Amino acid sequence: MIHSTAIVHPNARLAADVEVGAYTLIGEHVEIGSGTVIGPHVVINGHTRIGQHNRIFQFCSLGEIPQDKKYAGEPTRLEIGDHNTIREFCTFNLGTAQDLGVTRIGSHNWIMAYVHLAHDCQVGNHTIFANNAQLAGHVDVGDYAILGGFTVVHQFVRIGAHIITGMGTILLQDIPPFMLVSGNPAAPHGTNSEGLKRRGYSSASIMAIKRAYKTLYKSALSLVDARSAIEQQLAEYPELQPLIEFLAHSDRGIVR
Protein backbone atom coordinates (compact mmCIF):
# COMPACT_ATOMS: atom_id res chain seq x y z
CA MET A 1 0.00 0.00 0.00
CA ILE A 2 1.28 3.46 -0.91
CA HIS A 3 -0.08 6.33 1.17
CA SER A 4 -1.95 8.94 -0.86
CA THR A 5 0.48 11.70 0.20
CA ALA A 6 3.62 9.76 -0.78
CA ILE A 7 5.35 10.75 -4.03
CA VAL A 8 6.71 7.81 -6.01
CA HIS A 9 8.33 8.51 -9.38
CA PRO A 10 6.54 6.58 -12.13
CA ASN A 11 9.81 4.96 -13.23
CA ALA A 12 10.63 3.64 -9.75
CA ARG A 13 10.27 -0.12 -9.46
CA LEU A 14 8.44 -1.28 -6.33
CA ALA A 15 7.17 -4.78 -5.63
CA ALA A 16 3.40 -4.96 -5.40
CA ASP A 17 3.31 -5.47 -1.63
CA VAL A 18 5.73 -2.68 -0.63
CA GLU A 19 4.27 -0.31 1.97
CA VAL A 20 5.11 3.40 1.70
CA GLY A 21 4.18 5.85 4.46
CA ALA A 22 2.82 9.37 4.33
CA TYR A 23 4.88 12.14 2.70
CA THR A 24 7.65 9.76 1.67
CA LEU A 25 9.53 10.57 -1.56
CA ILE A 26 10.90 7.82 -3.82
CA GLY A 27 13.01 8.79 -6.82
CA GLU A 28 13.22 7.67 -10.43
CA HIS A 29 16.01 5.10 -10.18
CA VAL A 30 14.89 3.33 -7.00
CA GLU A 31 14.11 -0.39 -6.84
CA ILE A 32 12.45 -1.92 -3.75
CA GLY A 33 11.82 -5.62 -3.15
CA SER A 34 8.87 -7.54 -1.79
CA GLY A 35 7.75 -7.18 1.82
CA THR A 36 9.67 -3.98 2.54
CA VAL A 37 7.92 -1.41 4.76
CA ILE A 38 8.89 2.27 4.52
CA GLY A 39 7.70 4.72 7.13
CA PRO A 40 6.53 8.32 6.70
CA HIS A 41 8.75 11.25 5.72
CA VAL A 42 11.48 9.07 4.18
CA VAL A 43 13.50 10.20 1.15
CA ILE A 44 14.98 7.52 -1.13
CA ASN A 45 16.89 8.86 -4.13
CA GLY A 46 19.67 7.99 -6.54
CA HIS A 47 20.37 4.63 -8.13
CA THR A 48 19.25 2.77 -5.03
CA ARG A 49 18.29 -0.89 -4.79
CA ILE A 50 16.63 -2.17 -1.61
CA GLY A 51 15.95 -5.88 -1.16
CA GLN A 52 13.14 -7.81 0.47
CA HIS A 53 11.53 -7.58 3.91
CA ASN A 54 13.33 -4.47 5.14
CA ARG A 55 11.81 -2.10 7.71
CA ILE A 56 12.79 1.54 7.19
CA PHE A 57 11.56 3.96 9.83
CA GLN A 58 10.55 7.60 9.49
CA PHE A 59 12.85 10.48 8.53
CA CYS A 60 15.60 8.42 6.88
CA SER A 61 17.54 9.71 3.85
CA LEU A 62 18.84 6.93 1.61
CA GLY A 63 20.71 7.25 -1.68
CA GLU A 64 21.52 10.94 -1.62
CA ILE A 65 24.71 12.24 -3.24
CA PRO A 66 27.97 11.75 -1.31
CA GLN A 67 29.33 14.38 1.03
CA ASP A 68 32.44 14.47 -1.14
CA LYS A 69 33.59 17.51 -3.11
CA LYS A 70 34.97 15.25 -5.84
CA TYR A 71 31.52 13.92 -6.68
CA ALA A 72 30.46 15.23 -10.11
CA GLY A 73 27.09 13.62 -10.61
CA GLU A 74 28.26 10.15 -11.68
CA PRO A 75 25.52 7.46 -11.59
CA THR A 76 26.89 5.69 -8.54
CA ARG A 77 24.76 3.41 -6.39
CA LEU A 78 23.45 2.36 -2.99
CA GLU A 79 22.58 -1.30 -2.45
CA ILE A 80 20.76 -2.64 0.60
CA GLY A 81 20.12 -6.36 1.11
CA ASP A 82 17.25 -8.18 2.82
CA HIS A 83 15.72 -8.29 6.32
CA ASN A 84 17.39 -5.12 7.59
CA THR A 85 15.97 -2.82 10.26
CA ILE A 86 16.88 0.85 9.69
CA ARG A 87 15.69 3.15 12.44
CA GLU A 88 14.91 6.87 12.48
CA PHE A 89 17.11 9.60 10.94
CA CYS A 90 19.64 7.29 9.28
CA THR A 91 21.60 8.63 6.28
CA PHE A 92 23.20 6.31 3.71
CA ASN A 93 24.98 7.97 0.76
CA LEU A 94 25.75 6.80 -2.77
CA GLY A 95 29.23 5.59 -3.71
CA THR A 96 31.82 7.55 -5.69
CA ALA A 97 33.69 6.97 -8.93
CA GLN A 98 36.96 7.03 -6.97
CA ASP A 99 36.10 3.67 -5.37
CA LEU A 100 33.77 0.79 -6.31
CA GLY A 101 31.00 3.24 -7.15
CA VAL A 102 28.63 1.62 -4.67
CA THR A 103 27.81 1.87 -0.99
CA ARG A 104 26.65 -1.58 0.08
CA ILE A 105 24.80 -2.90 3.13
CA GLY A 106 24.21 -6.65 3.40
CA SER A 107 21.34 -8.48 5.07
CA HIS A 108 19.95 -9.01 8.59
CA ASN A 109 21.52 -5.83 9.96
CA TRP A 110 20.08 -3.90 12.91
CA ILE A 111 20.85 -0.21 12.40
CA MET A 112 19.66 2.17 15.11
CA ALA A 113 18.77 5.87 14.98
CA TYR A 114 21.03 8.59 13.55
CA VAL A 115 23.55 6.19 11.97
CA HIS A 116 25.52 7.64 9.04
CA LEU A 117 27.08 5.43 6.36
CA ALA A 118 29.17 7.58 4.06
CA HIS A 119 30.06 6.94 0.43
CA ASP A 120 31.63 3.63 -0.58
CA CYS A 121 31.18 1.91 2.79
CA GLN A 122 30.83 -1.88 2.60
CA VAL A 123 28.82 -3.37 5.47
CA GLY A 124 28.40 -7.13 5.85
CA ASN A 125 25.59 -9.17 7.38
CA HIS A 126 24.14 -9.51 10.90
CA THR A 127 25.80 -6.33 12.18
CA ILE A 128 24.47 -4.04 14.91
CA PHE A 129 25.06 -0.29 14.77
CA ALA A 130 23.93 1.43 17.98
CA ASN A 131 22.60 4.98 18.00
CA ASN A 132 24.80 7.63 16.36
CA ALA A 133 27.47 5.27 15.04
CA GLN A 134 29.15 7.20 12.22
CA LEU A 135 31.19 5.81 9.33
CA ALA A 136 33.33 8.03 7.11
CA GLY A 137 33.91 7.07 3.49
CA HIS A 138 35.43 3.81 2.25
CA VAL A 139 34.99 1.90 5.55
CA ASP A 140 34.60 -1.91 5.46
CA VAL A 141 32.64 -3.66 8.23
CA GLY A 142 32.68 -7.45 8.63
CA ASP A 143 29.81 -9.77 9.51
CA TYR A 144 28.43 -9.76 13.08
CA ALA A 145 30.35 -6.60 14.02
CA ILE A 146 28.75 -4.55 16.81
CA LEU A 147 29.43 -0.81 16.98
CA GLY A 148 28.53 0.82 20.28
CA GLY A 149 26.68 4.11 20.46
CA PHE A 150 28.60 7.17 19.22
CA THR A 151 31.36 5.05 17.67
CA VAL A 152 33.12 7.21 15.04
CA VAL A 153 35.16 5.57 12.29
CA HIS A 154 37.84 7.31 10.18
CA GLN A 155 37.81 6.87 6.42
CA PHE A 156 39.38 3.73 4.91
CA VAL A 157 39.35 1.85 8.23
CA ARG A 158 38.61 -1.89 8.07
CA ILE A 159 36.55 -3.51 10.81
CA GLY A 160 36.81 -7.28 11.20
CA ALA A 161 34.02 -9.76 11.79
CA HIS A 162 32.67 -10.43 15.30
CA ILE A 163 34.20 -7.30 16.87
CA ILE A 164 32.53 -5.07 19.41
CA THR A 165 33.28 -1.44 20.28
CA GLY A 166 32.47 0.41 23.47
CA MET A 167 30.32 3.53 23.52
CA GLY A 168 32.10 6.65 22.25
CA THR A 169 34.94 4.75 20.59
CA ILE A 170 37.09 6.63 18.03
CA LEU A 171 38.53 4.31 15.39
CA LEU A 172 41.56 5.59 13.49
CA GLN A 173 43.05 2.20 12.58
CA ASP A 174 41.82 -1.27 11.61
CA ILE A 175 40.22 -3.66 14.11
CA PRO A 176 41.10 -7.34 13.59
CA PRO A 177 38.29 -9.90 13.82
CA PHE A 178 37.03 -11.08 17.24
CA MET A 179 38.36 -8.11 19.24
CA LEU A 180 36.80 -5.85 21.84
CA VAL A 181 38.00 -2.25 21.66
CA SER A 182 37.06 1.07 23.21
CA GLY A 183 38.41 4.54 23.94
CA ASN A 184 39.64 7.67 22.15
CA PRO A 185 41.67 6.61 20.32
CA ALA A 186 40.52 3.00 20.42
CA ALA A 187 42.60 0.45 22.32
CA PRO A 188 42.16 -3.34 22.60
CA HIS A 189 40.52 -4.79 25.70
CA GLY A 190 40.29 -8.51 24.99
CA THR A 191 38.10 -10.61 22.71
CA ASN A 192 34.36 -10.67 22.07
CA SER A 193 34.04 -14.04 23.80
CA GLU A 194 30.37 -13.70 24.71
CA GLY A 195 29.43 -12.89 21.13
CA LEU A 196 31.39 -15.87 19.86
CA LYS A 197 29.60 -18.18 22.33
CA ARG A 198 26.23 -16.97 21.07
CA ARG A 199 27.28 -17.73 17.49
CA GLY A 200 28.25 -21.31 18.22
CA TYR A 201 32.02 -21.12 18.59
CA SER A 202 33.36 -23.97 20.72
CA SER A 203 35.19 -23.39 23.99
CA ALA A 204 38.40 -24.65 22.36
CA SER A 205 38.03 -22.20 19.46
CA ILE A 206 37.40 -19.30 21.81
CA MET A 207 40.49 -20.23 23.82
CA ALA A 208 42.54 -20.32 20.60
CA ILE A 209 41.27 -16.83 19.72
CA LYS A 210 42.19 -15.60 23.21
CA ARG A 211 45.71 -17.00 22.77
CA ALA A 212 45.93 -15.25 19.42
CA TYR A 213 44.91 -12.00 21.12
CA LYS A 214 47.70 -12.40 23.68
CA THR A 215 50.18 -13.15 20.91
CA LEU A 216 49.07 -10.05 19.02
CA TYR A 217 48.82 -7.61 21.91
CA LYS A 218 50.70 -8.95 24.95
CA SER A 219 53.83 -10.61 23.56
CA ALA A 220 55.74 -7.52 22.34
CA LEU A 221 56.17 -9.25 18.97
CA SER A 222 56.07 -7.23 15.78
CA LEU A 223 52.90 -7.52 13.72
CA VAL A 224 54.67 -9.74 11.18
CA ASP A 225 56.08 -12.06 13.85
CA ALA A 226 52.77 -12.20 15.72
CA ARG A 227 50.95 -13.18 12.54
CA SER A 228 53.54 -15.88 11.88
CA ALA A 229 53.08 -17.27 15.41
CA ILE A 230 49.29 -17.33 15.02
CA GLU A 231 49.63 -19.12 11.66
CA GLN A 232 51.28 -22.04 13.44
CA GLN A 233 47.96 -22.77 15.18
CA LEU A 234 45.92 -22.65 11.98
CA ALA A 235 46.00 -26.39 11.21
CA GLU A 236 44.35 -27.15 14.55
CA TYR A 237 42.10 -24.10 14.67
CA PRO A 238 40.88 -23.06 11.18
CA GLU A 239 38.69 -20.43 12.88
CA LEU A 240 41.85 -18.29 13.02
CA GLN A 241 42.02 -17.98 9.22
CA PRO A 242 39.98 -14.72 9.06
CA LEU A 243 42.30 -13.14 11.62
CA ILE A 244 45.44 -14.16 9.73
CA GLU A 245 44.06 -12.91 6.41
CA PHE A 246 42.98 -9.63 7.98
CA LEU A 247 46.41 -9.00 9.46
CA ALA A 248 48.06 -9.73 6.11
CA HIS A 249 46.01 -7.01 4.38
CA SER A 250 45.88 -4.27 7.00
CA ASP A 251 47.28 -1.24 5.16
CA ARG A 252 46.47 1.30 7.88
CA GLY A 253 47.87 -0.77 10.72
CA ILE A 254 45.73 -2.19 13.51
CA VAL A 255 44.47 -0.74 16.76
CA ARG A 256 47.33 -1.21 19.24
Side-chain angles (χ1 to χ4, degrees), residues 58-113:
Q58 54 268 28
F59 306 112
C60 290
S61 175
L62 308 178
E64 277 297 349
I65 65 173
Q67 298 179 91
D68 186 330
K69 291 184 177 181
K70 297 185 299 298
Y71 182 72
E74 302 90 347
T76 53
R77 295 174 289 132
L78 169 67
E79 296 179 358
I80 299 173
D82 306 324
H83 298 280
N84 296 292
T85 296
I86 302 170
R87 295 303 304 247
E88 298 84 352
F89 298 100
C90 287
T91 55
F92 302 170
N93 293 161
L94 300 173
T96 65
Q98 287 73 38
D99 201 328
L100 298 175
V102 58
T103 303
R104 184 177 289 113
I105 297 95
S107 299
H108 300 280
N109 297 293
W110 183 265
I111 300 177
M112 299 186 200

Side-chain angles (χ1 to χ4, degrees), residues 109-214:
N109 297 293
W110 183 265
I111 300 177
M112 299 186 200
Y114 292 96
V115 167
H116 176 63
L117 304 182
H119 58 87
D120 303 294
C121 288
Q122 309 292 311
V123 176
N125 306 306
H126 300 281
T127 68
I128 297 174
F129 285 52
N131 296 317
N132 279 285
Q134 308 284 304
L135 269 57
H138 315 281
V139 170
D140 287 358
V141 181
D143 295 346
Y144 293 98
I146 299 176
L147 271 61
F150 295 91
T151 293
V152 179
V153 186
H154 194 276
Q155 61 187 3
F156 293 104
V157 163
R158 296 170 61 235
I159 296 174
H162 301 283
I163 67 91
I164 185 167
T165 71
M167 185 174 70
T169 297
I170 307 298
L171 290 171
L172 305 177
Q173 293 178 294
D174 297 348
I175 310 177
F178 313 122
M179 303 303 166
L180 186 159
V181 304
S182 66
N184 178 12
H189 294 280
T191 61
N192 184 17
S193 300
E194 188 59 37
L196 295 175
K197 288 179 187 177
R198 294 176 183 176
R199 291 164 207 139
Y201 279 70
S202 68
S203 297
S205 295
I206 292 171
M207 287 303 299
I209 291 168
K210 287 183 176 179
R211 285 196 297 271
Y213 170 83
K214 291 180 179 178

